[in-house]
Amino acid sequence: MPASTDALDPRLGRLVEGIVQLAGGDLTTRIEPSPARDDIDAVIIGFNLMAEELRAANAELERRVENRTALLQQAHHQMERMSLTDPLTNVYNRRALVMSLDRAITDAVETAEPPAVLLLDLDSFKGVNDSLGHGAGDLVLKIVAQRILHAVREGDIVARLGGDEFAVLLPATSTAQARVVAARIVESLSQSVTVDDRRFNFGASVGIASPEGTDSAEYLLVKADTAMYAAKRDENSSIMAFDPVLLYARQRRSQLVSELRSAIDAGQLVLHYQPVVELATGRIEGVEALVRWNHPTRGLLMPDDFIPLAEESGSIVDLDGWVLRAGLAQLRQWQTTLELDDRFTLRVNISAAELQRLEFVDDVRAALAAATVDPAHLVLELTESKLVTGTDLEQYSLRGLRNLGVGLDIDDFGTGYSSLAYLRNLPMDVVKVDRSLIGDVATDARQQRFVVALLELIRACGMEAVFEGVETRDQAEMLRSLGCTNGQGFYFGRPVPAGEIEAVLAGAGGHHPVN
Ligand code: C2E
Ligand code: MG
Ligand code: MG
């Protein structure tokens, strides 16, 4: 039936409506064709086909957009994770830790349960890197990270801040609880680590800090670092909680460090000399140069007050260099003005760090040449406990010194843990036995037997012994009767300024022959 020509076909109205809906985004719009199946219905069917086509194309587009978005999000998460992770150990990094700290500090204001941060650092990690290379060092750091992870609870944040420094954030805890966790970490790190078939033991020092008032995350880390630094220096405790007193002590030390740098140039260092004697005759076979710092406001400072600072801050190289040159110049002067024994030696203490410097042997050679002193009259003393066992550089330096012709002593023997077998492989001539090993030798029969055995071992290794810290006549006599040949200590003479030792060397001072 043909449509009326008077009235507008209603299907045209529906078509217009449909086009508007489609254009408005409703891709489900469809129009029912009429039973007439005339040309308008053909347009309607065309419209429906087009609408379906559009819907399908749009769905495909949406699926693709969704896929792309998911990929982008994944990449974004991965980047975020990477920017918060330490690539070597896979624990968090400093940035992540600071973010978590910020959050924990804010949360604490609401819950009144403060977070605590533990900062820890290995005590002798540098030795591994130096002796086995960085590959081995990396392996150790991975093991350390795993051990820390095992020692803490889920929800605690473990981060590596760089080098051998790690931190743990305990989000809500007490100082007592933080100490328990710190002790657990120290305990797990005290187990030895095996790398390249060699076993290493690292201690760890831990500093603990909790936020107070308006402490920022960064300041909290400074507090933890200050506590850790104090723990490192404390012989009795490897765990320390922050206390404002520590901050003061640290400021004092860093002031001393900067003063020490200029002290060398300002001529504030002085050398005192202590005799080393032959026990049987009291003959002075040499003197040991011991440095003191004539501090403008703090008075005369002893080496234990500033040598460790010089070692930490690197100024030990300048300090040792000054001692060497000043001591040799003094020796040269004595050689020309006094009638010294041919075998008379000057002993100079050298920080173990010197052996890690390629130029050290040349520096010693130059100092000897500048003072015109024969190398045979110089003995360098190296503290046993500080020798880094067997790095190539150390071996190189020791061999170089040996070839140069200077004497080499092991100082403070008995305070470290080296075996005589190890010492035998070092090109050393003399072992200076630490005073802690002879304290009761005059009265204690067990100590006497120990000294005899020790002496036998030292000689079996082809070395001689000097016994340090001889304070009484009884000690001196006992040592001599046990077969010891050389000693040093207050009984024979305290360390004194050059002028005083000069009087002794010139024969004005009394000898103490022991017989
Ligand atoms: P050291 O080389 O073992 O020096 C011996 C220390 O024992 C000296 O302390 C000396 O005064 C002390 N002493 C000597 N006889 C006796 C005694 O009978 N009884 C007691 N109780 N003590 C005695 P000082 O001068 O305080 O030196 C301490 C350490 O500082 C030295 O130990 C040495 O390791 C280091 N040192 C000193 N001067 C230098 C230096 O120029 N460079 C370097 N790198 N270290 C130095
Ligand atoms: Mg010494
Ligand atoms: Mg000593």
Side-chain angles (χ1 to χ4, degrees):
M1 190 174 66
S4 136
T5 46
D6 313 326
L8 193 62
D9 191 314
R11 288 175 301 170
L12 289 175
R14 261 180 271 137
L15 261 175
V16 172
E17 229 169 82
I19 289 171
V20 170
Q21 277 175 4
L22 206 59
D26 183 359
L27 303 185
T28 58
T29 309
R30 301 288 182 276
I31 301 168
E32 189 70 20
S34 79
R37 301 288 181 217
D38 57 10
D39 43 358
I40 294 187
D41 284 320
V43 174
I44 286 174
I45 287 165
F47 171 91
N48 284 344
L49 280 174
M50 185 183 71
E52 178 54 25
E53 202 62 25
L54 273 176
R55 196 200 54 75
N58 196 53
E60 171 63 20
L61 197 67
E62 259 171 21
R63 206 173 44 246
R64 269 197 243 162
V65 169
E66 240 164 57
N67 274 347
R68 294 266 160 86
T69 312
L71 283 176
L72 264 172
Q73 257 167 2
Q74 223 175 332
H76 180 74
H77 281 145
Q78 207 169 349
M79 261 169 62
E80 206 166 56
R81 210 174 316 129
M82 268 165 64
S83 78
L84 297 177
T85 310
D86 171 51
L88 176 67
T89 58
N90 255 325
V91 297
Y92 288 103
N93 62 14
R94 181 180 202 100
R95 185 165 163 260
L97 180 79
V98 170
M99 278 166 56
S100 308
L101 270 177
D102 278 333
R103 207 172 315 126
I105 290 173
T106 325
D107 290 351
V109 178
E110 288 157 22
T111 61
E113 278 249 272
V117 64
L118 315 182
L119 204 62
L120 70 122
D121 151 314
L122 301 180
D123 287 341
S124 38
F125 177 69
K126 209 178 154 298
V128 180
N129 262 345
D130 287 348
S131 58
L132 290 184
H134 289 273
D138 286 354
L139 189 60
V140 170
L141 292 174
K142 284 184 200 171
I143 294 171
V144 167
Q146 285 309 313
R147 288 191 184 174
I148 298 175
L149 281 172
H150 276 119
V152 304
R153 278 191 308 210
E154 213 173 310
D156 296 341
I157 304 281
V158 176
R160 174 168 169 249
L161 305 186
D164 59 345
E165 201 172 76
F166 289 85
V168 180
L169 165 64
L170 311 173
T173 186
S174 63
T175 309
Q177 182 57 29
R179 275 185 185 276
V180 172
V181 177
R184 210 157 53 217
I185 294 174
V186 167
E187 157 65 22
S188 82
L189 293 182
S190 70
Q191 319 282 332
S192 64
V193 177
T194 306
V195 182
D196 285 1
D197 293 337
R198 282 178 64 176
R199 271 171 51 165
F200 288 89
N201 281 297
F202 308 96
S205 304
V206 186
I208 304 175
S210 295
E212 283 159 318
T214 56
D215 284 358
S216 65
E218 286 295 345
Y219 187 63
L220 194 55
L221 285 175
V222 169
K223 289 190 351 185
D225 185 59
T226 303
M228 182 185 79
Y229 187 75
K232 222 178 212 340
R233 300 179 68 87
D234 192 308
E235 282 170 14
N236 304 313
S237 152
S238 49
I239 300 169
M240 199 84 97
F242 175 79
D243 185 302
V245 172
L246 300 177
L247 206 55
Y248 173 71
R250 187 175 187 169
Q251 275 156 359
R252 211 182 105 103
R253 268 194 307 273
S254 65
Q255 190 190 352
L256 216 51
V257 164
S258 66
E259 286 172 350
L260 181 58
R261 287 211 184 88
S262 43
I264 301 173
D265 296 329
Q268 290 170 5
L269 297 185
V270 283
L271 290 182
H272 284 190
Y273 298 89
Q274 185 180 32
V276 176
V277 308
E278 197 174 66
L279 291 174
T281 61
R283 181 183 68 88
I284 297 180
E285 56 158 42
V287 291
E288 176 172 4
L290 294 158
V291 71
R292 276 94 182 90
W293 178 4
N294 215 337
H295 191 281
T297 56
R298 295 178 203 197
L300 196 69
L301 299 181
M302 301 304 274
D304 291 342
D305 296 331
F306 60 91
I307 294 282
L309 290 182
E311 285 178 338
E312 276 167 37
S313 64
S315 47
I316 190 68
V317 172
D318 293 334
L319 189 149
D320 280 348
W322 180 86
V323 171
L324 190 61
R325 287 189 302 275
L328 286 172
Q330 181 63 74
L331 175 64
R332 182 67 199 144
Q333 195 212 317
W334 287 334
Q335 283 175 339
T336 50
T337 56
L338 304 173
E339 285 184 17
L340 291 181
D341 191 312
D342 268 359
R343 293 163 295 171
F344 186 89
T345 55
L346 173 77
R347 306 179 112 93
V348 171
N349 295 285
I350 289 298
S351 164
E354 300 288 1
L355 299 182
Q356 306 297 329
R357 285 201 308 125
L358 261 179
E359 316 82 25
F360 182 61
V361 177
D362 286 333
D363 289 355
V364 174
R365 184 185 292 115
L368 285 162
T372 59
V373 167
D374 188 321
H377 293 135
L378 175 66
V379 176
L380 299 179
E381 297 192 355
L382 288 147
T383 302
E384 182 208 7
S385 58
K386 301 260 180 71
L387 282 170
V388 186
T389 48
T391 69
D392 289 346
L393 214 48
E394 187 179 282
Q395 295 292 335
Y396 168 86
S397 300
L398 289 172
R399 266 200 310 275
L401 293 169
R402 166 47 48 105
N403 291 339
L404 190 58
V406 303
L408 297 171
D409 283 8
I410 293 162
D411 205 351
D412 302 339
F413 180 77
T415 56
Y417 304 100
S418 31
S419 66
L420 280 165
Y422 162 67
L423 295 181
R424 194 167 46 182
N425 289 324
L426 293 176
M428 301 295 198
D429 313 289
V430 172
V431 170
K432 292 185 85 173
V433 179
D434 192 67
R435 66 167 183 271
S436 58
L437 300 192
I438 64 146
D440 297 323
V441 74
T443 50
D444 183 345
R446 280 217 330 252
Q447 206 167 63
Q448 290 158 13
R449 285 196 297 277
F450 174 75
V451 165
V452 172
L454 185 63
L455 197 59
E456 218 167 285
L457 277 168
I458 290 170
R459 288 186 178 145
C461 293
M463 292 185 280
E464 252 311 326
V466 171
F467 286 79
E468 292 189 282
V470 182
E471 295 183 346
T472 65
R473 187 186 174 89
D474 287 349
Q475 280 176 326
E477 276 174 4
M478 179 54 72
L479 286 172
R480 198 193 63 79
S481 73
L482 295 176
C484 307
T485 53
N486 301 86
Q488 178 178 359
F490 293 168
Y491 173 64
F492 303 108
R494 288 179 177 260
V496 290
E500 279 178 54
I501 198 79
E502 202 170 305
V504 177
L505 293 175
H511 281 192
H512 298 271
V514 182
N515 42 41

